[in-house]
Structures are given as structure tokens and as C-alpha cells.
Amino acid sequence: MSEKPDETATLHQAKRVDRIFKACATGAGILILLALAAVTLFLILRAFPAFTGDPDSRTQAIRSLSGGRASSFLGYVGPLVFGTILIAGLALLLAFPVSLGIALFIGYYAPARLSTLLSTVIDLLAAVPSVIYGLWGALVLVPNITGFWRWLSVHLGWIPLFSGPVAAPARSVATVALVLAVMILPIITSVTRDILIQAPRLQQEAALALGATKWEMIRLAVLPFGRSGIISASMLGLGRALGETMAVLMILSPGLSYSLRLLQASTSQTIAANIAAQFPEADSQGVALLVATGLVLFIITFIVNYLARRITAKAGA
Amino acid sequence: GDNVPAASSGSGNTADQALFQGEFAGSGASSQQSADEAWIAGFRKQHPGARISYDPAGSGAGVNAFLSGSTIWAGTDAPLTADQLEHSRQVCGSGTAIDLPVYATPIAVAYNLPDLWPKGSGGHLRMDPALIAMIFSGKVTNWRDPRIAALNPGVNLPDLDITVIHRSDKSGTTKSFLSYLHDTAGSAWPYPAGENWPNDLGQGAKGTAGVVMTMNQAEGTFGYADAAQTTGLGTVAVQVGKTWQPPTAKTTANLLDLAQRDPQASQPGRVVLAVDHRTSREHTYPIVLVSYDVVCTAYRHDPDGSKARFAKAWLTYLLSEQGQRMAAANAGSAELGQGLRSQAMASVKTIGGKA
Amino acid sequence: MMASRTDRGPVIDFDRFRPTRSSIRARKRKDRLMTVLIGLSFLVALIPLVSVLWVSLSKGVRRLTPDFLTHNMSGVVGGNPTPTGGYGGILHAVIGTLEITFGSMVISIPVGVMCAVYLVEYAHGGRLAKAISLMVDVMSGIPSIVAGLFAFSMFALVVGPGTVNGLAGSVALSLLMLPTVVKTSEDMLAVVPNDLREAAYALGVTKQRTITSIVLRTALPGIVSGTILAVARVIGETAPLLIASGFIATTNPNLFSGRMTTLPVFVYNEYSQGLAVCGPSADPGCLTDIHMQRAWAAALVLILIVLLLNLLGRLVSRIFAVGRTH
Amino acid sequence: MGQRIDISHLNVYYGDFLAVQDVNMQIQANKVTAFIGPSGCGKSTVLRTLDRMHEITPGAHVSGQVLLEGRDLYGPDVDPVEVRRDVGMVFQRANPFPTMSIRENVLAGIRLNKKHIAKSDADDLVEWALRGANLWNEVKDRLDKPGIGLSGGQQQRLCIARAVAVHPQVLLMDEPCSALDPISTLAVEDLINELKRDYTIVIVTHNMQQAARVSDYTAFFNLKALGQPGHLVEMDDTTTIFSNPHEPDTERYISGRFG
Amino acid sequence: MGQRIDISHLNVYYGDFLAVQDVNMQIQANKVTAFIGPSGCGKSTVLRTLDRMHEITPGAHVSGQVLLEGRDLYGPDVDPVEVRRDVGMVFQRANPFPTMSIRENVLAGIRLNKKHIAKSDADDLVEWALRGANLWNEVKDRLDKPGIGLSGGQQQRLCIARAVAVHPQVLLMDEPCSALDPISTLAVEDLINELKRDYTIVIVTHNMQQAARVSDYTAFFNLKALGQPGHLVEMDDTTTIFSNPHEPDTERYISGRFG
Ligand SMILES: Nc1ncnc2c1ncn2[C@@H]1O[C@H](COP(=O)(O)OP(=O)(O)OP(=O)(O)O)[C@@H](O)[C@H]1O
Ligand SMILES: Nc1ncnc2c1ncn2[C@@H]1O[C@H](COP(=O)(O)OP(=O)(O)OP(=O)(O)O)[C@@H](O)[C@H]1O
Ligand SMILES: [Mg+2]
Ligand SMILES: [Mg+2]
């Protein structure tokens, strides 16, 4: 082999750089693990005082944070978990069919030009900051939707979900869920669309060739293909709704109960909004408590993510 | 860039400019934000070299930040607790921190009933503490309730449900208002005083602005808020003795002039007020939020003494007649009276060692 | 009609399967119904979404003056006009947003891209790699406020209690950005054809140079546009910055010390101040609703920035798209 | 029984691009007609216009007439969905519905109209169609397994079974064997020979031997030049086309000298 | 000048799977050696061990010896990166770097290895390599255009130019023409004939005619059965292998009776 000495030297150096680069890449991977461990660790450390120390002062702190409505951590965090899941779940329930509809509209009904335009708009809306949805919800939606909720309550009030008295102004769970639905709608739509338009052409043509109508074609060849993707898109939206802070904070009239009466005020609160609302005035014991609720939220989103992973893994297999 | 009037940059003597060169950060109660804006602008007219910031992060966060030594002063709606006072030794070079009243605002009991009186005639619904308590505890739920009508003869009250609006976040305003109810309403008010609203009636909203916005969004709402913010809403004339007092800066100042020092806050230098909600004096409005600034008389990490120097000058300005007038004009606060200001100034003079 | 092949299986009477008129009509009806529903869902969704954009535009454009963009909020008192005739502005918030976002990019892009490099180029689906990609998934579920709490508590423990600065905000945001960066980079690296790697190796190029000069270079447009979208997402975060970076009225160019205002925090702060007081002694130009005006104008700027980033992302991926000729 | 198709003055456009120009031909009932020609000459395009499948391509449209047993497929009140019920289609690549079992795949077309079919009727139909597609013996024990579990050739025959199960009059096949191995190809060719008793069959193929083996008539398409529209060069008995074509182009193509 | 390769007792594993067993052969310097054999018999696998390219497949490893002009490629202190600088490789599918211009593609081996080269030297090298790859005249006016803008055959020749630009001693080619049209194939074959003056060339091909046309020696690989390891059946002069092979399997393969 022909080797000049300087070439051996550069090769030597290249090999060292090679090793360093690999170490960096591995390090970056491990850093991710460490970062997550650090998040958990710091949160636990910060939440620790909420569970240790004098039980009286603990109870005192909880009573102070909850305005006397709860006196134990579980009594405090329970309704918050309920409210978080209720609101996010409702938002998903409202947004999901509509997102699916829009995704189908973009992918299969709209003329090509319109659908590229729509796609762009949806992508933009998916990135609109939540504080703007909050602003819009609080200043535009709330004053204008009370009448609709009232109408709903008059006609469907026999269902406990819609029983009155209707909150006026409508700072109720229903309104917040609606705003969150509007917020996650573009996110779910955008992901769902990306998946649905990849549905194999072959099966669509097969369906049509059998004499299927457009909707039957979608049912036969598009939806089954996109199922797992649609689920993971919804989970993405659900995750966003679970963690949403500003929109809830700016709109909802909070409460700490296990009420399902969506149109009434002061029934529920979400963990994230509660942290943002109480953090500014919290003393150190209070901060510990709030961080502990944050940890609970983290666990909830973790579970949602994990389930989504399982579902998509199963459906994909 | 900064919004500095072109002319003002030259004013102020140079020695003074050198004295207040640098960054001075405070944080705390959001109630003080508007006043602080005005004070910072006013203070910098005299000391253009000083760069002052105020983060309206909230009283709790403000005090926490102060106790960690990352700010020079904290604005808080609640005086320091014993724990916090003890903790303050770690940041203050000499003894504990002091808290001085700098800002007070009447808390209005407000309602959204636009058609009670012709526009601009300035009428106020009349209520006594028990009635207010009954509405806020859900015993009176309609505007046409005879108990309201009894106090307001001749007023054409609508047949409308009352929606109670209260603060949803922890707040000094809530605490002040609750202690007023607690002190005056007797058995009509079953809840203890605290910074969080104690029941699930009506609706909660974040911040004073949230309460006012919510009230403006629906007729028949009833709530409490810093009076300066209640533009567009009706305010209740509260029964004091035999008179009915609407919230004004003047009548609130009168209440503060009568206030005692809180016996539980007797540590040297502290000026903490115990407001007499049960007062029956004429021309006194009984519901008030008093907001304090917390400073050290000497700072632990303050090699050149600039922190103490600033704290002293800052509070001196805030407690000056000019400072109080600035706040009144721009935040709608009640000017602190001469007596109270001189009590507080006595403490200010001890900052940075001998006066 | 009868099938002819009697010898080879069942005889089928196809009339039994013949669609009836009513069933055909029912199918048509259903098809039309679904078309209407899908069109309707689109229209229904359009109302709030267009409303959000329209309200931000119509309310925001009023205060969106050059003065608003070139001044901060120092010396602005209530609803009073400033000496320059404006009512304060968002210069400090724009600077804060840029710096904090830039900080989070500096943290998360190298780590995220290198992590993706590890996953795609080195790990080959080992145990560690599985753990990492699971954790990346978990990370993408971190609620933003929790990220803020984390940054706040971390700086409290590491730097000192009560530390609130731009960097803490950057850390919080980078935590939110990282999973997106890792995922898009991973996807982009994975679609780089193996052919190219082999071609480079066959030329006697080391692995590191193959990755940096060929693989990353080929994946660059995708990574850049994916990252831009990730940035567009975190640039609108409010809650974590409220906790980690605080609020200040003046321009603070120093990311490492002192509070920093970002645009979303500015929007929220203005919103939460409600009406301004214009007392009897106030300036005649005093505006009571100045806070809402500023909030909407800042919101509009925020939307414009996000829009710009989105377009930039698309542009980047289109201009640098690999595989196009000329 | 199959039906005959009359095509006259058919032009097919993709947007502004004229892909196929002025095709005139008769496709005989119960015969196999093969379309041959170089790539891009429009064989698939013409085939797809026979059951209006081109309509799902955005911008694609036709002018001219296609009569199915005298009825205009492009008549103003004709629903493409109805047309496709009478004209079945089998594609180049097998495309069973991946989420359905073999049985459900066969029944997919029928189920569209009748949700509830008596189980025995359904069983008979499945058996009939799978026998017709020469697949019954291979899959009769695993009808409830997913259709994509089959080999490529089996999948293609499953698709044919699915197409015949709705009992169309015409069966269109676009290169049905091009993705198959020789053995599967032979199986499908045998099948075509049997199916023509019941159906009119049109098949597109690149494989000249195949066209010669299976078809009764052959239509040769060509393009004058790249970017020019395709057109029908000639159509005749398969034996005539392969032994004694009228056009020199056909001769050249068949002898493999271009294309 | 090319170098000779001696392979002895070479076994190649993918994880636990023994893909190729006990290969012993000499590859002559400055000759073209063709590897032929049915799919899966390990032609590519053996080829890739000659420049240690198999090592980038996780789990792949070898035992045995490969001597390049007497030096053991698998010696303990030999770096695969070094080996690959002496042994160039051209792949089945043309793989120019899409982000680089034609010129940069040719220079990639130099540039990526951070060797400094004067602009005039670089120009000379590009021209020399492109001329060597028979591509110069076609691309000399658009050296700064992206390499992937070329046709398939041009791209493949560009890849050859890229490989020769680093002056390897040996050039390995894994089915370099299988994705090319006949005209491009001829161009590449001509090129191989010219290149053997300077390089030792090993080429894998499925095309027997091609092997017969371009190679001096031919090695026939086979598998005993599916799942069994591949092995070298025989290697000899190309004329011998194609006219008069020793092994009956070779004879059967060459006459097209299997594979
Ligand atoms: N969806 C489409 N959009 C635009 N042009 C198309 C489309 N499908 C086909 N074409 C064009 O129409 C012409 C005929 O195409 P067609 O697919 O019918 O040819 P073909 O004879 O079937 O070719 P092949 O043998 O390759 O399948 C070609 O020029 C082709 O580029
Ligand atoms: N990356 C891999 N991992 C595992 N097994 C492999 C890998 N690559 C090839 N094999 C196996 O090694 C054996 C030889 O494969 P190889 O690709 O060398 O055959 P080949 O002769 O080149 O075939 P072809 O003519 O199809 O290219 C085959 O059994 C193949 O399945
Ligand atoms: Mg075709
Ligand atoms: Mg091979």
C-alpha cells in the first residue's frame, strides 16, 4: 500500500475525530435520558416538602391553596385531575370528528388548489400560540356564546350534562373545552391529513371499481389505512389539551368539584391552569404543592403518550 | 428604545446620577403594577441613571424572590409572616426586613346593572355588610330580592339572577375583602378570611382585570375589585354607621388615617396597619387593600451600599406627597395621609445605617 | 341470470344480490349526507379559526405602528402617551423572544440532531436507543408549565434561589423543542438513502465525515424546516416563561442575567392589566383600553412571526430540496 | 353474459394534455380483447375510461362516446358508481383490502349494497367466485385469514374473485400479470380463458406472447412521438395482428424492433 | 497499476447466519474478474468483503484471509477506512451525492478526506477522471450542475469517475449496469475494458453475455439449497467457463437451465 507519512498522520487525526464524534452523538442521546431524569428529579425534589414535615402546616397549606375546599393532597389534586381530563377529553371529543372531516375534505373532496391553500392555513393555525386562543376565547367567544349555551340548556337541560343554571358570562367547562377544541383542531387535522393522503391509491381504485360511492371508498380504503395514525394524531391533540395553560387560565371560572355539569360555572379546574393561577401568590410550601400537582400532570401525559404508543404499535403490527 | 422624554436626559445633577447608576429590580404584587409604572417614571425623572424594573409576578413570588436575595424590594399585599421575617435575616445585613405601606386602594363592591339610573347620574345601590355577605354566600340570589329592595326604595331592580364574581387566584384583594366581611357581617358570613375565595358560588376570574372583564360581559353580575378598575360598572355604597359610603380615594384615605398599627407586627421598623372595618365614622370607606413594600435596612451583599441607598431613595420617593399623587393619578389609588407617611418615613430613615 | 359453471361449485342466483332501487337510493343518500357532513365540518371549523385570525388582525392592526415596534415599555405610565407620541411598544419583548428562542435553539438543536445521529447512525436499535426513543416520546408529552417549573427549580438549585432570567426560559423551551428536533431529524436522517453512505465509505471516508458531509448535508433541508416549525411552536409559549423568565418593562439584552419579557408574556401581561386609569389629571391622549390594544397588536406581531417562520420552513425545504435538478 | 362496447371519437385529456386522440373501436361481447403498445401510448388511459375510473384523477376528462350495449356511459344522467358496478376492473398490482379477510374481500362489493346477506348465500357466492378465480382449493381452509397473507399471484386472483363476485358484464384488466411469477401468470391466463364465457374482457399487456395466447382481438396503440397523444393504430383478430398486420408500425412493434 | 488479491478460507457471516463458506480464489492484477451465480449465492457479499464494506452492516463479520498484494486486509492494525482508499467500489444503483455538483462529486473522495488540492490540479483531476469514465464530453459544459441531473447511465459513469479519482488499486463493481438501458450499458462496458489497464477490476453481474464480453476470468458462485451458505463452485478463464466448464452446475447455469 502506498503511504506517505503525512497521509498517515491525517488519517490518524481523522480517526480521533471519528471517535470524538461518536462519543458526542452517544453523549447527546444519553443527555436526553439525563434531561428527563433531571426533570423528574428536580420536580420530585421541589415537591418533596409537600409530603414531609409538619402535617398541620401541610394541611394548612392545602387549605390555603384551595380556599378551604380541601385538606389533603388527594382531596386537592383529585378534582384537578378530574377537571383536566374532563376538559381535555371534551376538547378532543369536539375536535376529533371535525378534524377528521376537514382532513377528508382537504384530501378527498376539495379541489386541488383549495386544498393546498387550506393545508397552509391549517399548518399556520396549528402554530398559533395558545395565548392568542386564550385572548380570543376570553374577549370574543365568551360574550357571544352564552346565548347558545342557554338555548342548549333549555332544550337539552334534562340531560345532567347540560343542566343549568348556565354560567353568564359563559366561563364554563363547555366554553373552555370549545376553545381548546378550536386550538387542537388544526394540530389533529394537520397530522391526520398527512396520514390520510398517503392512503394507497390502489385500494381506493379497487373500491371504486367495485362500484363504491366516494364515502364507501373512504370507509373501505382510506379510514382503515389511517386508523392508527388518526389515533396518534388525536393523542397528540389530547396531550396538548391536557397541558394547556393560558387558554384555560384566561377563560375558565375554576372550581374544585367532580361535577359533570358542563354549562355551569366554577365546577372544575385544570392542573396546568391551577399552577399558573396559584404560583404567583404561593409561599414555599404552596410552591411545593403546586409542583407536586405538576408531577401528577406529567404522569397523566406520560400515560396518555404510552397508551398512544401501544395503540399505534399494535395497530401498525 | 426607551421612552425617555428628550429634555429630561440632561436634568438631575451629575453627582446624583452617579449615585443611582445601575440595575434595581423589584417584584411582587400585581396590584401595584400601575402605580409602580408611574413611580418608576417619576423616580427616573429625578435619577435618570437608575434602571428600575418591577415584575408583577405576584406577592408570593415577589416575597420569595426578595428572600432569595435576587431583588431589592418586594411589593406585597400581605405583610410578612413570622417565618418570612425570620428568613429575611439571610438577605438583610442587620436584623430583619421591614414592610411599609406604600399603596392603598379602595375595594369596590360592584355590579353590572346598566339601567338602574340614567347614564351619568352617579347613583349607587346601598347595601349593608350583612346583605353583601348574603349575596356572596348565595342566600340572596335575585336582584329583586326584598332584602335588596328594602335598602333601596324607589330603585327599579330587575328580575335577574345575581351572578357572583370573585377572584379565582390567591390575592390580597380577596383577603382584604373577606376580612371586611368577616369583621362586619357577623353570622351572615360563615367563612374564615383567607387569600382564596372560599365557596363555589358564581364565577371566579383571574386578577382584578379578569373580574372586571367578566362582570362587564354579563348583566346581573356582582363582585369586588380594586375601585380604580371598575370603570363602566356600578359600585355599592356600603353602610358605615348610619351613612352610605361609595368607594372614593378620599374616604379610603380617611380610614387609613384612623388605622392602628398591627400589634402582631411590632418588630422595629415595621409599619403594618390593622384596619378597622367596623368603623362608623362618617366619610370613611371601610374596604381597603393596603399594599406594602418590603426592604432591608441593610443588605447582606451590598459592597458599595448602592442597594440600601436605592431602597432609601425609592421609598422616600414613594412616600412623598408627589409619589402618592403620581399613584393616585395613574393607578386610582388612595393617597396615604400625612400621619401615616411620616410614620413610615421614620423607618425609611433607618435604611443604610444612621440617617 | 344463472351462472354457467354448474360443475364447478354452487349455482348462484345473482338476482338475490341485485341491489334494490331503494338500497341504491339509500347509498346515494348516505354518500350525499357524508359529503354534506364533511363539507359542513369544514365550514363549522372555519368559523372560529377565521374568527381568531380576523379578530387578531382587525384589532391588532390599529396599534401596530412603527413606534410600537421600536420602543419598549419603560417610562410608559398607564394609558398616557409617551414623548414620542406612541403608547410604548414591544421592542424589548421582541428582543427577549428572539434571544430566548435563540438560546433554546442553541441548546436543543445540537443535542437533538446529535441524538438523532446516534439513533440512526450508531445505535442500530440497541437497548439504549430504545430507551432514548421512548424517553423522547415521553418528553414530547411534558406539559409546558411543567417545563417552566423544572427550569425554575433547576436554576433555583443550581444557580441560586429566585433566579429568574432569559436562560431559564431558554432551558424550559429547549425541553419542549428537543423531542420535535430529535423526531424530525431522525426521520430526515432515516430517509437518506443508504447508497450515499456506502458511496462515501467506499471512497475511504471516515464515518464522522460521511455523517457530517453527506448524511447531514443531504438531510439538512428537512432538518432545517422541521426545526423551524419546532421554533414556531415554542416561540408562542407563555406559561413556562412567566415562571422562568419573568416580566420587565425595559429592554434587557443580557440572556444570562435579569428578567426578560417575551411577546406572549407581554400579551398576557397586557391582557391581565385590564383597563388603564385615566384620572382627571391625565394626559388628554390617555386611552383606557390601551392594554387590550397593545395585547392585540403584540398578538398580531406574534402571529406574523409564526407565519413568517412557517413560510420560511416551507421555503427552505423547497429551495434546498434534494433530488431536484436546477 | 358479457356486453359489447362501442367507442367512438374518444379523446382523453389530463388537464390540458391530450393523452389519447380519436379512438374508435368495437369490443365484442364475450371475447377477450388485448390492448398492446409501447409505454405511454395510452392503453391504461383508454381502459380506465371504460368504467369512468379516470374521473378520480383530478383534471382528467374525456370527449366522445362510449356505448355499453348501446347505453352511453357518459350520458348526462349516468352515475359513474352505477357504471362501475357493471364494469369490473383488475389492476396491475394486486390490491386486496388489507384489513379484511379473504372472505370479506370477496364479499366487499356485494356488501356495499346489501349489508345483510344470508350466511349460506354468502358462502355460496364466496365459493363460486373463488372457484371462478381458480383460488378456491388454495384458500378454502383459511377464508378468515387476512387477504394480504396470500402470495402475489394468489392476491391477484383474489382481486379477480372480488371483481367477478359483483357479477359485472365487462371485466377490465390492466397488466394483471406483470407483477406475477410465470406459474401465477399461467393460472391467471387460464382463468381469463374461462371467464370469457361469462364476461367481455379487455386486457392491457406488455407481453406479446400473452396477448397472442389469451386474446381473440388485439388493438395496437402507439404514439407518433414523445409528448404527442397516443392513438389506436389498428385493431383486428389476434391472429391477423400477429401474423399479418396492415400497418408497418404494428409489424415493427410485434417483431420487437422498437418499444 | 492494479494489485492482485488472494482470498483464502473466507467465511462471511451475517450475525449467526453463514452467508458464504470457504471461498478460495486469486484475483489477477489488471484483469477483469466477473462473479456470476444465482441470486442470493453471495456474490455481493464476497465482493463487499474485499474492501471491508460488509462491516457497515451490523453483525456482519468474516473469518479467513484476504491479501491485497500480500498484505492482509483483516490484519489487526489495518483500518477499514485505509483499505477503502485502495479499493474503490461502484454500486448497482448509481449514487451520486445529490447535494454536490458533477465536479464536486468527482472530487468527493479528495475533499471528504480533507486533502488539499490546488484548483488547477483539481481541474486536471476532474477532467482526467471524467475522461476515464467516458463522460467528459457529455458534461464538460455543466460541471457545476448537480450530479443527479444526469441520466441514469451518465450518473453511473459519474460514480465510476468518482471512484477512480482517488486512484484506487482495485475497482469493485456490483452489477453496475443492471439499472441501465442498453446504450448506457455498452458505454460502461467499454469503459471497463479501458480501465483494466490501470486497475484490477472485479465485477458482479447477472448478465451472462456481459460477463462473457468484459471479463478475463469468471468465478461462478452457487448455493446448495435455499438457506444454505453460498460457495465458490469454480473459477477459470472466462472462455473456459463459458465454453467448457469443469462442473456440471456451472454448465447448467450458463446454459440458462436454472437460476
Ligand atoms: N394521472 C395522469 N396525469 C397526467 N398525465 C397522465 C396521467 N396518467 C397518464 N398520463 C399520461 O398519459 C399518457 C398515457 O399514459 P398511460 O398510462 O395510459 O400509458 P400506458 O400505455 O398505460 O403506459 P404503460 O404501458 O407504461 O402503462 C402518458 O403520456 C402519460 O404520461
Ligand atoms: N444485510 C444482510 N443481513 C443478513 N443477511 C444478508 C444481508 N445481505 C445479504 N444477506 C444474505 O446473504 C446471502 C447472500 O446475499 P448476497 O446479497 O451476497 O447475494 P447475491 O449473490 O449478491 O444476490 P443478488 O444476485 O440477488 O444480488 C443471502 O442469503 C442473503 O439473504
Ligand atoms: Mg399502463
Ligand atoms: Mg447482489
Side-chain angles (χ1 to χ4, degrees), chain C residues 1-5 7-12 14-20 23-24 27-28 30, chain D residues 1 79 81-82 85 110 112-114 117 121 124-125 127-128 131-132 134 165 167 194-195 198:
Chain C
M1 188 194 306
M2 306 291 271
S4 53
R5 240 169 294 152
D7 54 319
R8 302 189 54 188
V11 179
I12 305 294
F14 275 96
D15 288 340
R16 306 182 67 161
F17 302 113
R18 189 151 288 277
T20 58
S23 82
I24 291 178
R27 285 176 57 193
K28 270 196 188 147
K30 178 148 192 196
Chain D
M1 281 291 105
D79 183 6
V81 172
E82 262 165 83
R85 208 177 300 131
I110 295 290
L112 292 177
N113 274 309
K114 282 205 154 70
I117 317 169
D121 282 356
D124 286 354
L125 182 66
E127 181 173 347
W128 176 84
R131 273 190 197 281
N134 238 334
H167 210 65
E194 298 213 14
L195 289 175
D198 298 317

Side-chain angles (χ1 to χ4, degrees), chain A residues 69-95:
Chain A
R69 292 173 184 80
S71 49
S72 71
F73 182 67
L74 281 184
Y76 184 55
V77 83
L80 288 175
V81 169
F82 175 82
T84 305
I85 293 175
L86 175 69
I87 289 174
L90 269 178
L92 180 62
L93 212 65
L94 289 171

Side-chain angles (χ1 to χ4, degrees), chain E residues 32-54:
Chain E
V32 178
T33 304
F35 287 4
I36 60 171
S39 185
C41 66
K43 306 179 295 294
S44 302
T45 300
V46 171
L47 192 77
R48 289 162 67 88
T49 57
L50 303 187
D51 68 346
R52 298 184 63 168
M53 281 296 281
H54 69 281

Side-chain angles (χ1 to χ4, degrees), chain A residues 63-69 137-140 142-143 146 165 167-172 249-257 265-266 276-284 287, chain B residues 28-30 56-62 64 77 84 161 163 165-166 168-172 195-206 210 213-215 217-219 221:
Chain A
R63 294 191 68 81
S64 145
L65 267 186
S66 65
R69 292 173 184 80
L139 297 176
V140 179
V142 165
T146 318
R171 294 174 178 265
S172 52
L249 182 67
M250 291 162 81
I251 298 167
L252 184 64
S253 157
L256 279 181
S257 69
S266 306
Q278 303 292 350
F279 188 82
E281 300 294 328
D283 52 18
S284 61
V287 169
Chain B
S30 50
S59 304
N64 285 347
D77 293 340
Q84 289 168 338
D161 281 342
T163 303
I165 309 291
H166 53 80
S168 66
D169 48 339
K170 262 186 125 186
S171 97
E195 287 173 312
N196 268 304
W197 188 254
N199 63 33
D200 285 335
L201 285 170
Q203 299 196 22
K206 168 105 168 76
M213 187 186 305
T214 306
M215 293 186 63
Q217 282 174 347
E219 284 187 25
T221 46

Side-chain angles (χ1 to χ4, degrees), chain B residues 34-36 38-39 102-103 317-318 321-335, chain C residues 277:
Chain B
S34 302
D36 264 298
W39 284 331
V102 293
Y103 172 88
Y317 173 70
L318 262 53
E321 201 173 336
Q322 190 197 354
Q324 288 296 308
R325 209 177 308 125
M326 272 304 259
N330 292 295
S333 65
E335 288 180 42
Chain C
V277 173

Side-chain angles (χ1 to χ4, degrees), chain A residues 1-3 7 11 15, chain E residues 71 79 81-82 85-86:
Chain A
M1 254 165 254
S2 61
E3 266 168 35
E7 205 165 298
L11 186 65
K15 273 160 76 179
Chain E
R71 195 184 132 182
D79 183 17
V81 172
E82 252 170 288
R85 290 190 188 170
D86 290 336

